[in-house]
Amino acid sequence: MRHAKIQKLVSEYIDGELKNNIELIERHIKTCDECKQLVKVHYLVNETLKENTIEVSPYLSTRIQAIFKEQKSQQNLWDYIIGFSRELVIALILIFLVLTSIRLISKETSVKIDEAILNEMPSVQKVISTGGDLTKDDVLELTLSNGEKK
Amino acid sequence: MKEKFETLDEVEIIQLAKDGDEKAFEFIVKKYQNRVANLIFKIIGDASIVEDLTQEVFLRMIESLKEYRFGSALYTWIYRITVNICIDEIRRRKRLRAYSLSDVLSQNPKAEPSHSHVEKTVEQREMREIIEEAISKLPPEYKTALILREFEDLPYDEIAKILKTRIGTVKSRIFRARKLLAEHLKEYKDLLK
Ligand SMILES: [Zn+2]
């Protein structure tokens, strides 16, 4: 196998992920400068990364805990507000429905009353039946009949 | 309190945290905070922002605790959140840098006279700085895979789970990261001997 194909396997070999061809890779590394460099890079990176580590301040977990608690209480408040508004909306819808139905019923009644009044008045019936096209005689007759009603 | 959680296994502790148990959450934070902080430090390379980002990791963890499925180990899941936050931060920094010309110039190694020598004898402290700088220049995807391998000593399949990618991709990202580093470190002849 040539270097171009082997170098990928060298990286796997370094990481202990290679299952086959281990001896072949080891032999190649000994004779190939570029693959030697890959191994060297691995050692350098590994050493460098592990050399310089940090530790968080002891207050960090307290700070995170405080934010967690605050978020939790805010969440509870929101849950309460959302729950409350949901109930409020349902109540408003119910009130609206009741009011609308009351209005419809009363409107129907008033229409019926209006019709009843109109039917009682011959003058109006006459106007309706002629389509508003009244002769002088009609007007006179209507005036008289209305007077009679009164 | 410490003893109570030490006798419980991870699944039970997560379940308690899911149910809103503050002590269980605190236990998880204390157990993982330094590992998370160091992973952030290695990926971002800036100690000043580590605690803020560590805090963000755990707050995002609470937010998504409901979505946590017990199939993967807790650290895999926490590391995934950490890596995502780091990549967001790297992108944010890139955007900021794009707007600041002076910043771009100071980031350019050619503008610094100390980097103009081709061959160098490298002392211990300088060597670390050179390697850290070379790592910082890697594309974020290569860098995170390499750090999870070299710093966390994780096997390829675990890295694949954290990065939500295939093992083959992890393999080639780590290989390419090493090739790029070797390329970059060539100018320091003593280093790769
Ligand atoms: Zn080779």
Side-chain angles (χ1 to χ4, degrees), chain A residues 4-143:
Chain A
K5 273 191 177 176
I6 285 185
Q7 58 176 354
K8 270 195 174 186
L9 298 178
V10 170
S11 185
E12 277 176 65
Y13 166 79
I14 290 169
D15 295 325
E17 300 265 350
L18 199 65
K19 305 280 177 287
N20 308 309
N21 298 325
I22 293 175
E23 278 172 30
L24 179 100
I25 301 300
E26 283 173 343
R27 247 181 288 137
H28 173 83
I29 294 171
K30 278 178 193 158
T31 58
C32 175
D33 278 349
E34 270 193 62
C35 286
K36 267 185 203 154
Q37 282 181 357
L38 280 183
V39 178
K40 184 79 198 191
V41 164
H42 152 67
Y43 283 122
L44 286 172
V45 169
N46 196 280
E47 232 171 80
T48 306
L49 287 174
K50 287 186 175 166
E51 213 169 82
N52 188 19
T53 58
I54 50 166
E55 220 168 274
V56 296
S57 91
Y59 305 110
L60 181 69
S61 65
T62 318
R63 216 160 62 216
I64 295 172
Q65 201 69 11
I67 299 172
F68 175 50
K69 274 184 193 167
E70 199 189 301
Q71 281 188 350
K72 218 170 115 183
S73 64
Q74 268 178 0
Q75 188 58 45
N76 288 343
L77 181 67
W78 271 111
D79 286 348
Y80 176 74
I81 291 171
I82 289 167
F84 178 73
S85 359
R86 200 188 300 135
E87 280 164 23
L88 191 70
V89 166
I90 292 170
L92 285 174
I93 290 172
L94 281 176
I95 292 168
F96 174 77
L97 285 175
V98 169
L99 285 178
T100 318
S101 48
I102 289 172
R103 256 186 82 192
L104 274 175
I105 291 165
S106 64
K107 210 175 173 185
E108 218 168 80
T109 325
S110 73
V111 167
K112 276 183 187 150
I113 293 166
D114 286 349
E115 275 172 5
I117 293 168
L118 288 176
N119 290 342
E120 281 285 297
M121 297 181 76
S123 56
V124 178
Q125 278 180 323
K126 184 78 185 174
V127 173
I128 293 168
S129 65
T130 57
D133 198 13
L134 296 171
T135 61
K136 270 182 187 171
D137 289 343
D138 289 335
V139 174
L140 185 66
E141 193 190 323
L142 285 173
T143 316

Side-chain angles (χ1 to χ4, degrees), chain B residues 3-181:
Chain B
E3 285 141 23
K4 178 194 164 189
F5 288 106
E6 260 155 20
T7 56
L8 294 175
D9 68 29
E10 212 166 65
V11 173
E12 289 171 305
I13 296 167
I14 301 164
Q15 193 52 60
L16 284 171
K18 265 186 154 185
D19 297 338
D21 187 320
E22 287 167 20
K23 294 283 175 196
F25 177 64
E26 191 185 351
F27 181 82
I28 295 173
V29 172
K30 283 189 173 160
K31 186 175 175 187
Y32 288 100
Q33 58 181 1
N34 277 318
R35 288 168 72 176
V36 167
N38 274 295
L39 185 55
I40 294 169
F41 179 46
K42 297 298 161 183
I43 297 175
I44 306 283
D46 174 3
S48 72
I49 202 161
V50 166
E51 294 215 347
D52 284 348
L53 292 182
T54 305
Q55 182 177 306
E56 211 182 313
V57 167
F58 288 107
L59 294 178
R60 204 178 282 184
M61 190 191 103
I62 305 169
E63 274 172 34
S64 52
L65 208 53
K66 286 184 204 104
E67 294 150 30
Y68 176 75
R69 300 284 169 268
F70 290 96
S72 58
L74 182 61
Y75 84 85
T76 309
W77 185 56
I78 294 179
Y79 277 11
R80 187 185 303 155
I81 298 173
T82 309
V83 166
N84 287 340
I85 283 178
C86 286
I87 288 177
D88 286 350
E89 175 63 18
I90 291 170
R91 288 200 184 120
R92 195 184 67 85
R93 286 176 173 222
K94 249 187 203 159
R95 274 200 305 275
L96 284 179
R97 213 177 294 152
Y99 290 115
S100 159
L101 184 64
S102 59
D103 217 318
V104 170
L105 286 175
S106 70
Q107 293 280 337
N108 183 356
K110 278 179 187 140
E112 288 171 38
S114 64
H115 287 267
S116 61
H117 310 283
V118 178
E119 281 181 42
K120 281 173 187 165
T121 8
V122 182
E123 287 174 22
Q124 204 64 17
R125 196 181 57 80
E126 275 182 339
M127 184 184 86
R128 202 184 76 199
E129 278 169 19
I130 290 165
I131 294 161
E132 279 173 351
E133 204 209 325
I135 295 172
S136 78
K137 282 181 180 158
L138 290 172
E141 294 80 12
Y142 294 3
K143 193 190 345 184
T144 44
L146 185 73
I147 287 170
L148 289 169
R149 173 63 221 146
E150 296 283 24
F151 179 63
E152 296 290 339
D153 293 320
L154 293 174
Y156 288 175
D157 58 343
E158 288 294 315
I159 299 172
K161 275 185 207 156
I162 292 168
L163 300 179
K164 273 197 166 174
T165 185
R166 287 176 298 121
I167 293 177
T169 310
V170 172
K171 208 184 282 183
S172 72
R173 280 182 191 174
I174 292 172
F175 165 67
R176 283 184 191 150
R178 286 181 178 138
K179 278 293 271 186
L180 283 174
L181 289 175

